[in-house]
Amino acid sequence: MKNDRPDPDALLAQVQQEAQKAARGKLKLFFGASAGVGKTYAMLAAAQMAREQGVRLIVGLVETHGRSETAQMLEHLPCLPLKDVDYRQRTLQEFDLDAALRWGTENPGGLLLLDELAHSNAPGSRHPKRWQDVEELLGRGIDVWTTMNVQHLESLNDQVRGITGVQVRETLPDWVVQEAYELLLIDLPPRELLERLREG
């Protein structure tokens, strides 16, 4: 007589896999065609609105690049302290992954903002690349909003060099972008972009 009952081990593995997917954090990517289009500003503006709606969030690290309007957007958002890292007789301030993971444990379902996904971490960090930090955060159930430019995609690196003559050294695998649950394209008309770049 044929047994039509499902395999209990297979069912358990499926349930565990689905629970793991449900517990994983979500990645939202503010994606720019060029530096200077306003990705960080757009991310901070969205974070201000999310916070007003009751979302628990914290800034892990944001690069203002000396732009006063971006710095002003940070004033009303809670920020994690940066970690001092000694490198070549200099002290660098880097994102503190362990502090972010502790914050995530204390704030389940929380949102962390972390600028410049393709950034290379200082030597001696747990992960060589920031996108690997983000993977660890997502795996611990922390939602992450981050920024990047198209030239940092590994598959487009050669094309970007061919068009611009610039070799981009900080890249990330395409599959990282494919994991994003939401991708917002941030762009500016060329005249406005050139003006912003001239202003620094």
Side-chain angles (χ1 to χ4, degrees):
M1 184 170 169
K2 186 179 176 186
N3 184 356
D4 289 333
R5 288 179 44 198
D7 176 14
D9 291 332
L11 279 175
L12 179 61
Q14 183 180 353
V15 167
Q16 288 172 334
Q17 189 176 24
E18 286 172 10
Q20 190 177 17
K21 280 183 187 174
R24 185 170 172 79
K26 292 179 180 173
L27 177 65
K28 182 172 181 173
L29 191 54
F30 293 78
F31 190 81
S34 170
V37 294
K39 298 174 302 299
T40 301
Y41 187 90
M43 179 175 71
L44 293 173
Q48 296 276 14
M49 287 193 294
R51 190 164 185 236
E52 287 169 13
Q53 294 167 0
V55 174
R56 287 176 314 235
L57 61 81
I58 197 157
V59 175
L61 183 143
V62 161
E63 298 285 353
T64 65
H65 298 290
R67 294 189 178 103
S68 59
E69 67 273 12
T70 305
Q72 286 173 356
M73 293 294 286
L74 268 175
E75 287 177 4
H76 304 292
L77 294 173
C79 298
L80 280 175
L82 298 177
K83 178 173 69 172
D84 288 339
V85 177
D86 293 325
Y87 177 63
R88 293 187 179 175
Q89 300 177 341
R90 287 177 47 207
T91 301
L92 305 175
Q93 290 203 305
E94 287 282 317
F95 168 62
D96 191 337
L97 177 58
D98 290 320
L101 292 168
R102 282 192 299 276
W103 179 87
T105 301
E106 295 162 7
N107 297 275
L111 166 64
L112 183 123
L113 278 61
L114 188 56
D115 214 1
E116 300 190 359
L117 184 60
H119 173 79
S120 296
N121 291 329
S125 300
R126 179 151 70 243
H127 302 295
K129 296 287 188 176
R130 185 165 291 158
W131 65 263
Q132 294 168 315
D133 293 341
V134 168
E135 279 298 302
E136 187 168 345
L137 292 161
L138 295 171
R140 294 281 286 275
I142 301 168
D143 292 344
V144 177
W145 289 3
T146 189
T147 63
M148 71 170 284
N149 291 323
V150 66
Q151 68 261 31
H152 296 293
L153 272 176
E154 221 167 54
S155 65
L156 297 178
N157 194 253
D158 290 341
Q159 291 175 36
V160 169
R161 186 179 62 221
I163 294 168
T164 65
V166 176
Q167 174 70 57
V168 176
R169 305 231 178 265
E170 292 183 319
T171 62
L172 54 90
D174 291 27
W175 64 263
V176 176
V177 175
Q178 291 166 354
E179 281 199 331
Y181 84 100
E182 190 174 354
L183 192 144
L184 273 79
L185 179 61
I186 311 297
D187 204 0
L188 277 178
R191 186 173 294 169
E192 285 182 42
L193 176 59
L194 289 170
E195 189 176 322
R196 275 179 64 91
L197 293 174
R198 274 195 297 271
E199 291 170 355

